[in-house]
Amino acid sequence: MRRPRNGERSSCTVPMTSKRDYYEVLEVSRSATTEDIKKSFRKLALKYHPDRNKEADAGTRFKEISEAYQVLSDPDRRASYDRFGHAGVNGDAGRGFEGFEGFGGFGDIFDAFFGGSQRQGPRRGNDLEYQVSVSFVDAAFGVDKAVELDRMERCERCKGTRAEKDSDLKTCTTCNGAGRVRRVQRTVFGQFQQVAPCSTCNGEGKIVENPCSECYGRGTVQRHRTMSIEIPAGIDDSSRIRMRGQGEPGALGGEPGDLYVFVRVEQDPVFSRHGDDVLVDIEMNMAHAALGGEISVPTLDGEEDLKVPAGTQSGQVFRIRGKGIPHLGRSERRGDQLVTVRVVTPSKLNDRQRELMKELADSFVGAGASVNGRGDGRGGFFDRIKDAFAGDDQGD
């Protein structure tokens, strides 16, 4: 189980408002390279950073620039934006924009280039990942799976304060409980006034004089948990289930991370899947395919009778409606089952079967039939069958 870095998959919701074109915001053309976009962002970020630019709209412009860079610097998001505009990165209507993955916001983007930290206060906990395997049938109809995992949880003894008693938690005298200090930094771009975490209390604003005896001052302990995960009907291989708040606890009162469960659907010896349709191959002998009749077909619900018409050809596909995979989130609706018939030619015949097959071949030839329709004097398909069996007789 992997623990992503702190802040992964954090999300923020941006209201659906009118926005400027991201290329216009970064002052680059649509054919700009990744390096062009980065250079333009550096220049504009320096120009509109609130610590340097005191204009009233500097903060708003800086956020706009950072948001544009977040999208255009990512190849996948840029491609989606080029194709669908803002709707391509804002998600469906009403869902908001779930982005800024790997960054805590525009401050973190700036920090990635120029150092320092703008991130203060509560921090979201780490997300966790878990993989679970389910059978083909369980994936089709849904199942509850019990999973076991180890994760960090808030210490019950100190409630995450890290101190043995409340009185053991003191206000930091360096930052006076603010958790951050201001400092002036000189760079090649000029002088910046930055707000950085207090090095004495690590940005927490508190000093622990007597650490908790259970978590030893960490505020968290590792626990082994057994959880029940609902696998919904119709889920497909490599799908992801998000369990909100089931990740690791946040710091400084921040919300916990999420648990992402990746579902692997095991291969089935009989069934395969195409969308919501179930695919099955059924073998038939030549006589049965020629004469037609009913055959028993396995489905997800058990055996089902299928009427096969006379003269069925190998590779012919028959549809059994409503016997496929339930639509994800709408289990009352299901796909179909597609049955592909494979006509099998026998590789070995006993004497009686060989005799009957010769008679059949003779009957076609006697009727003047030419199965291949060429009329080239070579006879039809059954003529060649007759010749083949005649050859077998000579070899016996």
Side-chain angles (χ1 to χ4, degrees):
M1 179 172 60
R2 180 178 74 86
R3 293 192 180 97
R5 296 187 300 275
N6 186 43
E8 283 190 344
R9 293 194 177 90
S10 59
S11 62
C12 63
T13 301
V14 177
M16 299 296 289
T17 57
S18 177
K19 295 183 179 181
R20 287 203 299 154
D21 181 82
Y22 285 150
Y23 291 96
E24 178 185 343
V25 171
L26 291 181
E27 299 178 1
V28 295
S29 67
R30 289 189 171 270
S31 60
T33 65
T34 302
E35 189 60 29
D36 293 335
I37 292 172
K38 179 185 279 190
K39 288 180 179 179
S40 183
F41 169 73
R42 281 177 177 267
K43 181 184 70 174
L44 295 172
L46 283 170
K47 180 178 178 180
Y48 291 102
H49 192 280
D51 285 346
R52 189 175 185 182
N53 190 321
K54 301 304 179 184
E55 295 178 8
D57 64 340
T60 302
R61 290 293 303 277
F62 185 81
K63 291 181 181 180
E64 184 182 42
I65 293 164
S66 301
E67 180 180 318
Y69 177 75
Q70 165 67 18
V71 173
L72 298 187
S73 63
D74 184 297
D76 292 336
R77 289 184 179 176
R78 181 180 181 181
S80 182
Y81 177 76
D82 288 344
R83 186 176 181 185
F84 302 108
H86 291 293
V89 293
N90 286 358
D92 297 333
R95 290 178 57 188
F97 174 55
E98 190 167 331
F100 291 102
E101 294 185 12
F103 287 102
F106 67 87
D108 281 350
I109 299 177
F110 187 81
D111 295 337
F113 285 102
F114 306 112
S117 174
Q118 300 292 326
R119 196 172 193 177
Q120 303 296 330
R123 294 193 297 272
R124 186 176 180 274
N126 291 332
D127 292 335
L128 298 179
E129 294 179 355
Y130 191 91
Q131 180 172 292
V132 63
S133 296
V134 297
S135 68
F136 189 94
V137 175
D138 284 342
F141 295 116
V143 66
D144 289 335
K145 294 285 289 187
V147 300
E148 296 185 357
L149 55 88
D150 294 315
R151 66 179 180 185
M152 301 302 295
E153 297 183 358
R154 197 178 308 279
C155 176
E156 296 179 358
R157 181 178 180 84
C158 68
K159 302 298 187 292
T161 64
R162 303 183 295 118
E164 184 68 17
K165 297 181 296 184
D166 291 342
S167 59
D168 294 326
L169 199 61
K170 305 294 185 181
T171 300
C172 176
T173 57
T174 301
C175 63
N176 294 320
R180 56 189 182 273
V181 293
R182 293 185 178 273
R183 67 185 181 197
V184 176
Q185 182 178 4
R186 296 181 182 277
T187 72
V188 294
F189 301 103
Q191 181 173 296
F192 290 93
Q193 180 178 341
Q194 292 183 301
V195 177
C198 175
S199 59
T200 303
C201 64
N202 294 321
E204 296 185 10
K206 300 288 184 179
I207 299 294
V208 178
E209 292 188 340
N210 185 24
C212 172
S213 58
E214 182 174 343
C215 65
Y216 303 103
R218 292 191 299 267
T220 58
V221 292
Q222 189 175 54
R223 304 287 189 196
H224 183 79
R225 295 293 184 190
T226 300
M227 304 176 61
S228 179
I229 298 177
E230 180 182 355
I231 308 298
I235 198 165
D236 205 349
D237 186 47
S238 299
S239 296
R240 187 186 72 174
I241 300 174
R242 181 182 184 182
M243 301 183 68
R244 293 183 180 273
Q246 295 300 318
E248 294 189 340
L252 303 178
E255 64 179 6
D258 299 329
L259 172 62
Y260 289 87
V261 180
F262 292 86
V263 179
R264 187 180 71 85
V265 179
E266 300 169 354
Q267 289 187 341
D268 190 89
V270 176
F271 305 111
S272 59
R273 177 174 180 172
H274 180 73
D276 286 337
D277 291 335
V278 172
L279 311 181
V280 173
D281 285 358
I282 296 295
E283 293 185 348
M284 295 183 64
N285 63 55
M286 296 170 57
H288 200 171
L291 297 174
E294 285 191 349
I295 59 175
S296 182
V297 176
T299 73
L300 296 177
D301 302 293
E303 296 292 324
E304 184 87 8
D305 289 334
L306 174 66
K307 187 174 183 180
V308 177
T312 293
Q313 302 298 306
S314 186
Q316 195 165 343
V317 178
F318 298 91
R319 184 183 298 272
I320 304 178
R321 297 193 178 278
K323 293 297 182 179
I325 304 290
H327 293 275
L328 187 63
R330 303 179 64 181
S331 57
E332 72 280 359
R333 296 185 56 191
R334 296 175 61 176
D336 301 330
Q337 177 160 314
L338 305 181
V339 181
T340 302
V341 173
R342 308 294 182 189
V343 178
V344 180
T345 301
S347 58
K348 293 183 179 181
L349 297 173
N350 58 34
D351 291 341
R352 177 57 178 161
Q353 291 169 336
R354 184 180 291 107
E355 182 181 349
L356 291 173
M357 190 65 73
K358 287 181 180 180
E359 291 180 8
L360 178 62
D362 288 340
S363 70
F364 277 97
V365 174
S370 179
V371 178
N372 62 11
R374 293 184 303 182
D376 55 3
R378 296 172 57 193
F381 173 72
F382 284 99
D383 288 318
R384 293 195 291 277
I385 290 179
K386 180 180 179 181
D387 293 339
F389 287 128
D392 288 343
D393 290 340
Q394 294 171 3
D396 289 342

